[in-house]
Structure formats: C-alpha cells, structure tokens
C-alpha cells in the first residue's frame, strides 16, 4: 500500500512492522496469540526478578474455562493451573467469540490477580489525606455498617438524591442493573455511567432504527470493510474476534477476499495493514460519510428499494401541508466531493472512487467507533455512518449492520420504593440528562461534575464508584478531582489501588474477575445474541467479595424498602433468575461447534438442552448461551414512530419544536438538524493555537480503567516508552516547523494543563497534529505501573457534543515547546 508515493512499510519502518506481524500473523491462519514466543520467553526471564511472581511448585496440571472481562469484548479463556495456582491464560477454541485468539492485555490477567501491591487485601478506611493512598484495614462488618449508616442518615433527612453512583459495568449486565436498582430503592435518580462510544451508538440507533441497543456488525461475512477510525488491530470491539475476522478477510483461499479501507489521520497498525488508507483530518469523518453518500445518491448506486421505503430519504410533506427537505436533497446540496475534499483533506477522486467501490460491493459495512471503541464520538457522525450503511440496504442483512433486540433474560421484579424513596425519585437528576436540551441521553457525567463544582453546598454527600477509574480515564482529569473535593464521602468498590480509589474514604473491594461469577451480556459488536458467564477459576486470594453480594448485604442493613428490593440470598441466585428467561425464550445453544459458527447464516434454530436445570448447568460449566445469526433473524420491523428506517428523525423533530437549537449546540436549520449532518470540527474555532492533539490507543497498552499488566511494557519500543518517559508522535514537517528532533523533550500545553514528553518523528503522523498514546501516566498502583509516561486526559479539552450533550475529546488545540 502506498502513502505519498512510498510503501507504507517504509514509512512505518521497524517501529510498527515487527509488532504488527506478531499481531496479524497469528490471525491469518492459526489464531496464534499476538505475542511471539521469543517475547514471552524474554518476559518470563525479566519477570523472575519480581518478588510477587513466584516460580510455581511441581503439582497436578488442570484447566479451567471462563470469560475475560478486562474489556467488553467477552473473549473465552482457558486458565492453566498447577495445583491451585493459575499459571497461564489462553484463548478458548471452543468459544464462538474468539476462536483461540486473545489479546496481549487479556493474557496478562494473572499479573493483576497475583500482584498484592496493586490490590486491596480487604475492606479499608482512609487514614491519610485524600489521594495519599493511606488506608487501614477494617472488617466487612464495620465497613458495611459505615456505609449503611451513611445511606440511612441521608434517607432520614429526605436527601436521598445526595447519594449517587458511577458505574463502569457494561450496560445491560446484571451488575449494572443491581447498582441502578440499589439507587432506585434508596430513592436517588442519580445513577450515572462512564461515557463511552456505545452511548452515541445507542442514541443513533434509537433515532434511526427505533432500537435502544448498541450496533453490531456481521464482520465475518463482509467483503468490504470501511472503518472510520476503528482500531481493528488496536483492540476494537472484541479483540480476539476481530483478529479472527481479519484472518478470514485475508484468507488466500477465500472465493472473494475482503477489502479493508481505513479512514484515520494517523498510520496506525490497522491503517498500515489495510488495503487502502485514507488520512482524513481528525473530526471530519462524518463529513466524509456524507460526501460518500452524495456520490452514491447522485450516481444512483444506492439500494432504491430500501431507501424509498425509508422515511425522509426524499422530500416530504407533513399532514399540516408543510414541505420538508429530505436526506437526498440535503446531501446533494451540501456535501459534493469538492466541498468534502476541502473539509477532510482527501482528494476528490479518492472520495468518488471509494463511494463507488463501497456501494458496489456484495456485502459492504461501514464501522464507527474510534480506537478501541471506548471513547465517545459525535452523535451526528454516528448517524452519518449508519445512513451510509442504509444506502446500501445492508441493515440486518448478511455482512452488514445488525441491531439486536435485548437478550431474552428474565426481568427482575419492579422496585417498590417507600414514601422517602418516591419523593427522592421525583426530584430531578443532578446531570439533567433527558432534559429539553439533551432529550435522548440517559447519563451526563461531565455535567454531573460541573454541577458539583459550581454548587455552594455539597450537591452529593456520598458517591459510590463501581468498576471504573474516572480520575484516570476521563478527559480534563483535574475536573473530576475538583468535583470529588466537594463530595464528603466516596466509596470505591474497585479491587485495585487505582487513582480513584486513592481518593476514596471507604474501600469495599470486589473480587478479581478470575475469582468470581458474573455475566457478559452481548459482547461488544457481536452480530448474534450471546450470554456469557464467568466462573471463579481459583478461590479468592484476599478478603474481597463479589460486589453483587455486597449490594445485597448492604441493602439488608439499610432495611425497609431497600432490603425488600433484594430478596435473593446471593448474587448467583439473581443470575439464575435472569437466566430463566433464556430457557423460556424457546431456543438457544450452550455448546459451540466450530464447524457451525454462529455467524453462518445457514444454521438452524434449535436447542441442546431439555430443561432449565440442564441449560443452567451447561452455562455454568461452559460459560455461554447463544443463537446463530439465522436464528436471530433480520430486522423485521423498526421501532421508530413511522415504523420505518428514518433518514429524517421524527424524534428529533418533536424534541426541537420549542427549543433554541443553539442551546443544543446545533448550528444548522431545522430540517437539517433532524438528519445526519456535519457540525464542523470541534476545535476549528481555536485560532490562538497552531496544533491539535489527538490521543491514540495500542493493543498492547491497557487504556481503560484497569492497570497495564507490567510484562507488556516489555513489548513497547524505546520510542514509545523510555526510562519512564512516553513519546508524542509528530510528522517530520511539524518537527522542522517547531525546531524539534528525535528524542527531544517538549512541553505540550492546552487550555486544561500541560505535560512533558519526548518526541518521536513519524512519517505516518499527519502534519499539524500531535499524537499521544493513551494508557500511560498512572499515579496509582505500584512502581511497575506508576510514573510511566503521561496521561493525555490531563490536557484533553472535551467539547459538548451537539444534541447528545456527551463529551467528545478527539481534537484538542495545543501548543508545543521544546524544553
């Protein structure tokens, strides 16, 4: 593949070529783990000096099967054990999500399990200043009593809304439902979720398809993959699954090898291995999608049956007689290739050729969700890419886009709040999510923090933090810390000594994922319904408890209506109750036959169990229940008000009737506001800065709420991390402009802060952009994790996304100065 007249491997040189060979080499044919044997041997020698990694004693070998939950990918894993000690994690070949594959971070789960210096040994109470990490161990009885009394005091004062929870568990999981249920029973509406790309995906699907569910892609059956910044080789979606799909795409024996096109400003691993790389300016992906739509519509390359049956594709007239502009008219007027070329920086001819190739493929699919798919993108960008898929008619079709109905789990009985609870629930949310300016958003953590900071009196008395580390993962990291300084009491349920836990007053540590039972509901991006169940492969090493069990015990101590909302003996009983819905749905499989993968559209709808008890036993033993794509079926009807796919959202139209569009940060006319459109790059207005900073992610660097397994630092090159300093990537032209050389130290400063880094000059970086890797810069944990590089979130300036109100942080204006 060529970039600016050069083979891209020449541009990337050793720094990208060797590692990506390890990643992709295994995917193409053998499902090899993405870490080479020599690298593992080197790491094993290196880690022998770590006191917390003892050499296993001689003993009986055994294997336990479970699911990795270090991300939302839900890959099946097999844990090798010597007697009762786990010694290795591998990918499962008898699990449909990731047939034999596993990402580097997933391999490192044991290092987080056995490293006692990063884990809490049991319940803890803060003894030093906040953020000092100084705690004293207490009993579970004392810890639960402290929190129960706190909750009871707020209920007695009729201030239940001052209790809030922030949750990082996957939406739809039983654990997420438990946390929200606890808040509801207490009488607080302030259940918040860590913002993610799934938020915008769900809203886009709700507005255009009528389904409040995340999007899924039939990757294994696609023949043209158009990725708008999705890091397919950086850990996007379910990493093991995507590596397997990449192998299918590049299988030389395939009848029609797939074509992969990567839209991304930086030459990532995905871009370097794609068939075509188009470096669009960051933040302009939505405009490009609409430019492609222009060519497809103008040249009549779209699926006329689907488009003409959709609502708002053509101009239309309301029952009142008003004429409205349709999607096709708006796109043909506003997004010709010449205009889009100026916005994106791509050549007009490249845009036109891409549109033709994409629309004429048999099973094309356009992917949305930058990097690993964790960070929010623009809602209108998501809608634009979904509209592009709709033009091909590839919604619910083989190789295209799927949006599921919810997994048929049984619903828990409704919470019946007491008088105090009812009064609290009737009060407004602190973040005002779902209000007139953000009518489709369920949670706005950024606005939640701003409200706390601006309040004269404590808005939140007690904050519960589950499976998240917002002090590290959220942009404008100082904002979270300022907000927490105004919260009198913080409780962390994290098993780890992370940045947020160090700010807490009380620690109620969860088990490590290898020590507990929990569910995985519809792993990220999977096109068929799948329910997974983790299992404890070892006994808990410390005095930790499953957070589900802790919630039940806590509710019991609070008593009254809160206790009544949790009548179950333990968390496993709740999982069992919900699984009854799977059996009642009538079909499903609990055994995976690799000869009949669930993405094979010829599979029949059937069951491999005769009773609920047999099904539950199988799920507990093998960790899964699923249906094939054909059993799931295509989209039979849309849930929109018009019961059709909507290029023109009637829900948006209704929501903006009495609202000033500028208050929603929408700057187009009314009809256009109801359709996918481009609002402009979020930092174009910054004229006093000359550069933009864009974060990027790597498959061998943990960038979520969990810490980096230390052995993975061995896989980083010296121009990524060297003696505790991380590197910013810049183009040679940018380096000349600012007088920078390879390895120079420099300060990167934004309106939110400054960080010091070293410079890596990289041909694959777009001129005028500074790229910082995400995952470095921890201040928590231990010496193997703490103090390694800088955290881009400290200087990222988030922008409120139009209509959704969610934070978007892929473009930040910065200055760079040589030290």
């Amino acid at each position: 593949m060529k970039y600016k007249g050069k083979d891209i491997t020449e541009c990337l040189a050793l720094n990208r070529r060797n590692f990506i060979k390890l990643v992709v080499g295994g995917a193409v044919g053998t499902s090899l783990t993405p870490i080479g044997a020599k690298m593992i041997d080197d790491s094993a020698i290196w880690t022998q000096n770590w006191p917390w990694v003892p050499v296993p004693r001689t003993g009986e070998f055994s294997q336990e099967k479970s699911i990795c939950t270090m991300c939302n990918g839900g890959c099946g894993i097999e844990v090798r054990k010597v007697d009762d000690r786990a010694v290795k994690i591998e990918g499962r070949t008898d699990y449909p999500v990731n047939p034999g594959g596993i990402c580097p971070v997933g391999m490192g789960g044991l290092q987080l399990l056995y490293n006692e210096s990063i884990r809490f040994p049991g319940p803890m109470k803060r003894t030093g200043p906040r953020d000092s990490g100084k705690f004293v161990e207490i009993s579970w009885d004392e810890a639960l009593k402290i929190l129960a009394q706190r909750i009871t005091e707020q209920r007695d004062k009729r201030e239940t809304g001052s209790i809030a929870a922030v949750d990082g568990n996957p939406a739809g999981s039983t654990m997420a439902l438990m946390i929200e249920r606890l808040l509801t029973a207490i009488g607080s509406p302030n259940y918040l979720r860590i913002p993610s790309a799934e938020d915008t995906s769900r809203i886009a699907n709700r507005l255009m398809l009528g389904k409040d569910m995340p999007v899924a892609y039939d990757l294994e059956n696609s023949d043209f993959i158009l990725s708008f910044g999705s890091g397919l080789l950086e850990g996007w979606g379910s990493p093991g699954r995507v590596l397997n799909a990449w192998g299918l795409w590049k299988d030389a024996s395939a009848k029609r090898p797939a074509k992969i096109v990567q839209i991304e400003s930086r030459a990532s691993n995905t871009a370097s291995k794609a068939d075509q790389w188009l470096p669009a300016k960051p933040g302009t992906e939505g405009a490009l999608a609409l430019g492609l739509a222009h060519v497809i519509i103008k040249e009549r390359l779209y699926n006329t049956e689907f488009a003409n049956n959709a609502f708002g594709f053509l101009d239309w007239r309301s029952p009142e007689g008003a004429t409205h502009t349709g999607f096709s008219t708006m796109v043909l007027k506003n997004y010709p290739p010449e205009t889009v070329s100026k916005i994106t920086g791509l050549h007009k001819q490249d845009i036109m050729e891409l549109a033709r190739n994409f629309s004429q493929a048999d099973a094309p699919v356009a992917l949305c969700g930058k990097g690993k798919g964790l960070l929010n993108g623009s809602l209108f960008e998501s809608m634009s890419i979904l509209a592009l898929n709709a033009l091909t008619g590839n919604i619910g079709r083989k190789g295209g886009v799927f949006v599921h109905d919810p997994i048929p789990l049984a619903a828990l009985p409704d919470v019946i709040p007491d008088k105090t609870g009812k009064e609290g629930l009737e009060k407004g949310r602190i973040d005002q999510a779902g209000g007139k300016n953000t009518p489709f958003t369920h949670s706005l953590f950024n606005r939640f923090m701003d409200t706390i900071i601006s309040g004269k009196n404590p808005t939140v008395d007690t904050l519960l933090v589950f499976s998240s580390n917002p002090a590290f993962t959220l942009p404008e990291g100082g904002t979270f810390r300022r907000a927490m300084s105004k919260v009198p009491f913080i409780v962390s349920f994290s098993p780890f000594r992370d940045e947020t836990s160090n700010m807490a007053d009380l620690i109620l540590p969860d088990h490590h994922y290898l020590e507990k039972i929990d569910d995985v509901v519809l792993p990220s991006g999977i096109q068929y319904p799948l329910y997974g169940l983790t299992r404890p492969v070892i006994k808990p090493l410390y005095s930790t408890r499953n957070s589900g069990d802790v919630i039940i015990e806590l509710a019991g101590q609070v008593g009254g209506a809160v206790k009544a909302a949790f009548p179950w003996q333990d968390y496993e009983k709740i999982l069992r109750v919900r699984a009854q819905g799977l059996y009642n749905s009538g079909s499903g499989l609990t055994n995976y036959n690799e000869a009949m993968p669930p993405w094979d559209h010829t599979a029949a709808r059937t069951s491999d169990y005769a009773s609920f008890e047999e099904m539950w036993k199988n799920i507990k033993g093998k960790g899964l229940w699923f249906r094939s794509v054909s059993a799931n079926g295509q989209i039979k009807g849309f849930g929109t008000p018009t019961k059709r796919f909507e290029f023109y959202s009637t829900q948006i139209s209704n929501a903006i009737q009495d609202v000033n569009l500028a208050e929603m940060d929408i700057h187009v006319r009314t009809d256009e506001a109801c359709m996918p459109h481009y609002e402009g790059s979020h930092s174009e207005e910054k004229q006093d800065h000359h550069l933009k900073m864009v974060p990027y992610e790597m498959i061998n660097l943990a960038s979520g709420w969990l810490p980096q397994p230390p052995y993975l630092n061995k896989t980083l090159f010296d121009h990524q991390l060297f003696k505790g300093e991380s590197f910013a990537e810049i183009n040679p032209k940018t380096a000349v402009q600012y007088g920078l050389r390879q390895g120079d130290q420099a300060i990167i400063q934004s309106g939110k802060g400054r960080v010091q880094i070293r410079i890596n000059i990289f041909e694959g970086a777009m001129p005028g952009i500074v790229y910082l890797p995400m995952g470095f810069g921890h201040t928590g944990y231990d010496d193997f994790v703490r103090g390694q590089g800088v955290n881009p979130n400290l200087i990222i300036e988030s922008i409120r996304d139009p209509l959704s109100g969610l934070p978007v942080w892929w473009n930040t204006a910065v200055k760079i100065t040589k030290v």
Side-chain angles (χ1 to χ4, degrees):
M1 190 184 72
K2 299 290 185 180
Y3 171 64
K4 293 188 176 180
K6 297 182 180 180
D7 190 287
I8 187 60
T9 55
E10 296 176 12
C11 298
L12 302 179
L14 181 64
N15 59 333
R16 291 291 179 267
R17 185 170 59 240
N18 288 347
F19 185 75
I20 198 61
K21 280 183 179 179
L22 294 172
V23 175
V24 183
V28 184
T30 62
S31 293
L32 199 64
T33 292
I35 296 291
K38 176 64 168 63
M39 194 174 293
I40 293 175
D41 289 343
D42 289 345
S43 297
I45 296 170
W46 179 52
T47 57
Q48 286 177 8
N49 295 322
W50 296 350
W52 44 270
V53 185
V55 177
R57 60 183 180 275
T58 303
E60 181 180 355
F61 282 86
S62 62
Q63 296 169 329
E64 299 277 1
K65 296 178 180 181
S66 189
I67 303 173
C68 178
T69 59
M70 293 183 70
C71 75
N72 294 345
C75 292
I77 57 173
E78 188 169 84
V79 181
R80 292 189 183 185
K81 297 170 64 177
V82 177
D83 284 343
D84 59 351
R85 183 177 180 87
V87 296
K88 188 178 183 182
I89 297 176
E90 300 176 303
R92 283 172 60 177
T93 58
D94 63 342
Y95 200 78
V97 174
N98 59 309
I102 187 172
C103 75
V105 175
M107 285 183 62
L110 296 182
Q111 294 202 319
L112 308 187
L113 170 68
Y114 286 114
N115 187 354
E116 61 184 20
S117 62
I118 69 171
R119 292 191 61 183
F120 287 110
M124 312 286 282
K125 183 169 63 175
R126 180 169 62 85
T127 58
R130 275 198 176 165
D131 218 11
S132 66
K134 293 182 180 180
F135 298 92
V136 62
E137 193 167 353
I138 58 177
S139 68
W140 274 102
D141 287 343
E142 181 181 355
L144 287 168
K145 182 179 179 180
I146 291 172
L147 181 53
Q149 287 180 344
R150 193 95 189 181
I151 293 172
T152 301
E153 289 172 3
Q154 298 307 305
R155 281 174 54 80
D156 290 343
K157 293 189 293 184
R158 299 293 195 269
E159 295 180 359
T160 55
S162 68
I163 300 169
V166 54
D167 183 18
N169 288 286
S173 66
T174 299
M175 194 65 237
L177 295 183
M178 289 278 285
I179 298 166
E180 187 171 14
R181 186 180 185 87
L182 175 65
L183 269 288
T184 301
I186 290 171
S188 173
N190 294 311
Y191 168 78
L192 297 110
R193 299 193 51 77
I194 293 294
S196 72
E198 184 177 303
D199 297 332
T200 46
S201 169
R202 281 177 173 268
I203 299 174
N205 294 337
R206 176 182 170 187
L207 296 175
M208 303 180 78
L209 294 161
K211 290 176 179 277
D212 190 5
M213 292 291 289
V215 70
Y217 303 100
D218 192 15
L219 299 179
E220 288 80 0
N221 293 297
S222 301
D223 66 353
F224 195 110
I225 298 87
L226 175 55
S227 165
F228 285 86
S230 301
L232 301 175
L233 297 179
E234 280 74 38
W236 179 85
S238 179
R241 179 248 182 151
V242 175
L243 288 176
N244 180 71
W246 193 286
L248 296 175
W249 297 333
K250 294 303 178 183
D251 186 356
S253 64
K255 294 181 180 179
R256 47 180 181 84
K259 181 173 182 177
I260 306 166
V261 178
Q262 182 72 0
I263 309 299
E264 187 176 2
S265 66
R266 173 181 171 270
S268 64
N269 289 335
T270 303
S272 72
K273 286 294 179 179
D275 297 289
Q276 184 180 14
W277 169 40
L278 293 175
K281 296 177 183 178
T284 66
E285 292 83 0
L288 176 59
L290 295 170
L292 298 175
H294 175 103
V295 177
I296 292 171
I297 294 170
K298 183 176 182 179
E299 299 185 4
R300 299 189 65 80
L301 300 174
Y302 59 92
N303 185 308
T304 55
E305 180 181 2
F306 186 92
N308 291 335
N309 285 326
F311 178 77
F313 179 71
L314 302 173
D315 295 352
W316 58 283
R317 187 180 297 273
S318 71
E320 295 76 23
T323 301
H324 292 272
T325 302
F327 179 75
S328 58
T329 299
M330 183 271 294
V331 167
L332 289 174
K333 177 183 177 182
N334 296 343
Y335 299 98
E338 298 83 2
T339 299
V340 173
S341 175
K342 294 177 181 178
I343 295 172
T344 63
L346 299 177
H347 294 300
K348 169 186 171 181
Q349 194 61 35
D350 288 338
I351 295 171
M352 297 178 68
E353 288 182 3
L354 177 59
R356 293 163 184 156
N357 293 337
F358 178 76
S359 61
Q360 293 172 356
D362 291 334
V365 65
L367 310 182
C368 187
K370 297 181 178 68
K372 294 181 179 180
L374 299 176
L375 305 182
N376 281 37
S378 163
L379 172 58
F380 286 118
E381 176 187 312
S382 297
M383 292 175 66
S384 299
I385 295 170
L386 185 55
L388 185 62
N389 281 302
L391 287 176
T392 69
N394 219 12
I395 304 290
R397 285 182 14 187
K398 185 175 181 179
V401 171
F402 286 78
V403 179
H404 300 284
D405 292 324
I407 297 287
L409 294 164
L412 299 178
D414 291 339
V415 175
I416 303 177
D418 56 16
K419 181 180 179 181
T420 300
K422 290 179 181 178
E423 292 174 355
L425 293 171
E426 290 172 355
K427 298 178 181 178
R429 291 175 57 90
I430 292 173
D431 63 356
Q432 301 175 20
K436 69 174 186 177
N437 290 334
T438 55
F440 308 112
T441 309
H442 299 305
S443 174
L444 288 169
F445 197 67
N446 49 330
R447 187 179 291 175
F448 174 77
M449 293 187 294
D450 291 340
T451 303
I452 293 176
I453 292 171
S454 61
K456 293 181 180 180
N457 299 316
T459 308
V460 174
D461 175 82
T462 301
L463 180 68
L464 313 179
V465 184
F466 295 87
S467 298
S468 58
N469 183 13
F472 179 78
T473 62
L474 289 182
E476 305 175 2
T479 301
F480 178 79
R481 292 179 181 274
R482 289 197 304 275
M484 292 307 98
S485 69
K486 290 195 169 188
V487 177
F489 198 72
I490 302 171
V491 183
S492 171
F493 291 77
S494 173
F496 302 111
R497 297 177 180 270
D498 55 49
E499 289 81 359
T500 305
S501 295
N502 283 342
M503 301 175 67
D505 301 276
L506 185 67
I507 307 292
L508 301 178
D510 194 3
H511 290 320
H512 183 279
Y513 78 94
L514 294 176
E515 300 172 324
K516 67 177 182 177
I517 187 170
D518 208 350
D519 62 4
V520 175
V521 181
L522 201 61
S524 180
I526 301 297
Q527 74 271 50
Y528 50 90
L530 184 142
Y531 174 83
L533 197 68
T534 69
R535 58 181 298 186
V537 301
I538 67 166
K539 295 180 179 179
L541 300 177
Y542 309 110
S543 180
T544 56
R545 293 185 183 179
N546 190 314
S547 291
D549 292 325
V550 173
I551 287 176
I552 294 173
E553 293 181 61
L554 175 64
Q557 291 203 22
V558 175
V562 180
K563 178 180 179 180
F566 295 90
W568 304 278
Q569 181 181 354
D570 56 40
Y571 185 54
E572 184 174 336
K573 294 292 192 303
I574 300 177
L575 294 171
R576 179 186 168 95
V577 166
R578 293 197 78 203
Q580 183 71 51
L582 303 177
Y583 179 75
N584 294 342
S585 69
S587 66
L589 298 173
T590 56
N591 295 280
Y592 170 57
N593 180 358
E594 57 183 317
M596 298 178 63
W599 58 84
D600 183 349
H601 287 246
T602 63
R605 181 169 183 154
T606 184
S607 298
D608 58 5
Y609 43 81
S611 66
F612 171 76
E613 293 299 334
E614 182 183 1
M615 183 200 77
W616 182 243
K617 180 180 178 181
N618 290 349
I619 291 176
K620 287 188 66 177
K622 299 180 180 179
L624 79 156
W625 174 97
F626 67 97
R627 288 176 179 164
S628 67
V629 172
S630 62
N632 183 39
Q634 297 180 0
I635 296 176
K636 298 179 176 65
F638 298 100
T640 58
T642 62
K643 304 303 179 185
R644 292 183 281 170
F645 182 90
E646 293 191 357
F647 285 100
Y648 185 111
S649 172
T650 54
Q651 295 177 76
I652 296 179
S653 179
N654 291 332
I656 65 176
Q657 290 297 320
D658 301 314
V659 178
N660 183 341
L661 290 180
E663 294 179 358
M664 289 182 163
D665 297 310
I666 297 175
H667 305 289
V668 296
R669 296 189 178 187
T670 305
D671 275 345
E672 191 173 354
C674 300
M675 296 181 283
H677 65 274
Y678 176 65
E679 283 282 343
S681 178
H682 291 299
S683 59
E684 287 176 352
E685 72 279 4
K686 299 284 186 178
Q687 301 298 326
D688 56 333
H689 293 81
H690 303 287
L691 296 172
K692 293 179 182 178
M693 190 276 284
V694 174
Y696 71 93
E697 296 175 287
M698 299 187 289
I699 196 170
N700 56 329
L701 183 60
S703 50
W705 79 277
L706 294 174
Q708 168 87 337
Y711 89 104
L712 284 182
N713 287 346
K714 183 71 172 178
T715 70
L716 299 171
F717 293 106
D718 285 347
H719 57 258
Q720 294 171 332
L721 182 69
F722 182 70
K723 293 184 177 181
E725 293 184 282
S726 55
F727 287 68
E729 294 180 347
I730 61 173
N731 186 272
K733 293 181 179 178
T734 306
V736 171
Q737 182 180 355
Y738 289 90
L740 296 168
R741 296 183 179 183
Q742 179 70 28
D744 279 352
Q745 290 183 322
I747 299 292
I748 300 177
Q749 184 169 357
S750 73
K752 294 296 178 180
R754 52 187 283 169
V755 295
Q756 181 170 314
I757 46 79
R758 287 190 179 273
I759 295 296
N760 178 41
I761 299 176
F762 178 42
E763 282 278 0
M766 178 174 283
I769 308 250
V770 179
Y771 297 90
L772 284 179
M774 301 195 73
F776 291 128
H778 280 288
T779 58
Y781 305 111
D782 65 359
D783 290 341
F784 291 100
V785 178
R786 183 172 53 244
Q788 301 296 310
V790 299
N791 182 5
N793 284 316
L794 295 176
I795 64 171
I796 289 177
E797 184 173 1
S798 66
I799 306 297
R800 191 175 71 171
D801 188 44
L803 188 60
S804 75
L806 292 163
V808 177
W809 54 78
W810 280 92
N811 279 333
T812 295
V814 298
K815 293 179 180 178
I816 189 167
T817 307
K818 182 177 178 180
V819 174

